[in-house]
Amino acid sequence: MARIDQDARTLRATLVLVGPRDAGSSSLLRTVRDRVPADRRPGDPARAGATADPLLDWLPIDLGTITGWRVRVDCYAVSSRTSYDTTRRLLLQEADGLMLVLDSQAGRLEDNLAALRAVQEQLLDRDGRVRDLPQVCCYTKQDLPEELILQPAALDATLNPRGAPSFAVRAVAGENVLESLHALVTLVMRRLVAANGNSA
């Protein structure tokens, strides 16, 4: 959950990248890491030469001052393996925003749907209601041959009934990676600042 200090005008939020296995959530987070200057990644284990856990990747980012608020986000990408269900559930309970990392390949459509159902189940609160979180959809592997993938409009029709912002992502090339993160941060900030009686 977000930590907000209204007097100091600081905000720290948790963003979670989730999706089916091999959709590319960790690759996407590594691409973000490669494009964010080291001085904007305080506490990043990769800066210290630490070996990252391939099943749970973490990237802290200092975004500087945005509309008068000093903003930091902690981004997590966690494996979709069932052995990590407890970790993923805990992260989702702490999340302030979700990046749904979904595979554009036509043959992975059912895997995407299964992953989304699992996320909904893991977002249930104690009263059995699904937590309503800001989210964006990232459709990865858009650089594959056209005959193998679905176009963003078709993916939206099936996977994005809420009409969340969606992006056709080519993680290796970095296309739309930072843009999708920026969109999610904007949604999260608006929600958190408004909830605390301010405007962003």
Side-chain angles (χ1 to χ4, degrees):
M1 292 293 202
R3 294 172 291 284
I4 298 176
D5 185 328
Q6 293 196 32
D7 293 332
R9 299 282 288 183
T10 60
L11 184 155
R12 185 168 181 173
T14 297
L15 310 180
V16 180
L17 289 72
V18 291
R21 188 171 183 177
D22 298 325
S25 57
S26 289
S27 295
L28 196 150
L29 195 57
R30 284 193 293 272
T31 299
V32 173
R33 178 179 280 127
D34 290 343
R35 284 161 172 74
V36 173
D39 63 351
R40 290 289 187 179
R41 296 185 274 115
D44 178 10
R47 289 182 60 196
T51 301
D53 181 346
L55 301 180
L56 176 61
D57 208 356
W58 166 58
L59 176 64
I61 308 174
D62 181 350
L63 297 174
T65 301
I66 302 175
T67 61
W69 289 80
R70 183 76 181 185
V71 180
R72 174 171 166 170
V73 294
D74 291 294
C75 303
Y76 293 91
V78 61
S79 170
S80 62
R81 295 182 186 180
T82 55
S83 58
Y84 266 58
D85 277 354
T86 300
T87 301
R88 188 167 50 257
R89 186 182 298 273
L90 289 172
L91 280 174
L92 288 172
Q93 292 303 316
E94 292 297 315
D96 300 296
L98 295 180
M99 185 175 289
L100 302 172
V101 182
L102 304 167
D103 197 314
S104 295
Q105 294 179 92
R108 298 293 311 277
L109 191 59
E110 286 302 320
D111 294 335
N112 288 326
L113 289 168
L116 292 176
R117 287 192 294 268
V119 168
Q120 292 294 299
E121 189 274 329
Q122 291 169 336
L123 282 172
L124 290 175
D125 63 20
R126 292 178 180 176
D127 297 322
R129 295 172 298 194
V130 177
R131 293 183 63 215
D132 178 28
L133 294 177
Q135 58 187 240
V136 301
C137 295
C138 294
Y139 301 131
T140 61
K141 305 182 183 178
Q142 283 284 313
D143 48 354
L144 291 176
E146 287 189 8
E147 61 269 20
L148 298 179
I149 64 174
L150 297 172
Q151 295 304 310
L155 291 163
D156 272 340
T158 305
L159 304 175
N160 187 16
R162 289 177 50 175
S166 62
F167 298 85
V169 171
R170 294 171 175 86
V172 174
E175 184 175 330
N176 281 331
V177 172
L178 294 182
E179 290 83 352
S180 59
L181 178 63
H182 179 268
L184 181 57
V185 169
T186 300
L187 292 174
V188 168
M189 278 198 63
R190 286 176 181 167
R191 172 78 62 89
L192 293 176
V193 173
N196 283 271
N198 296 277
S199 59

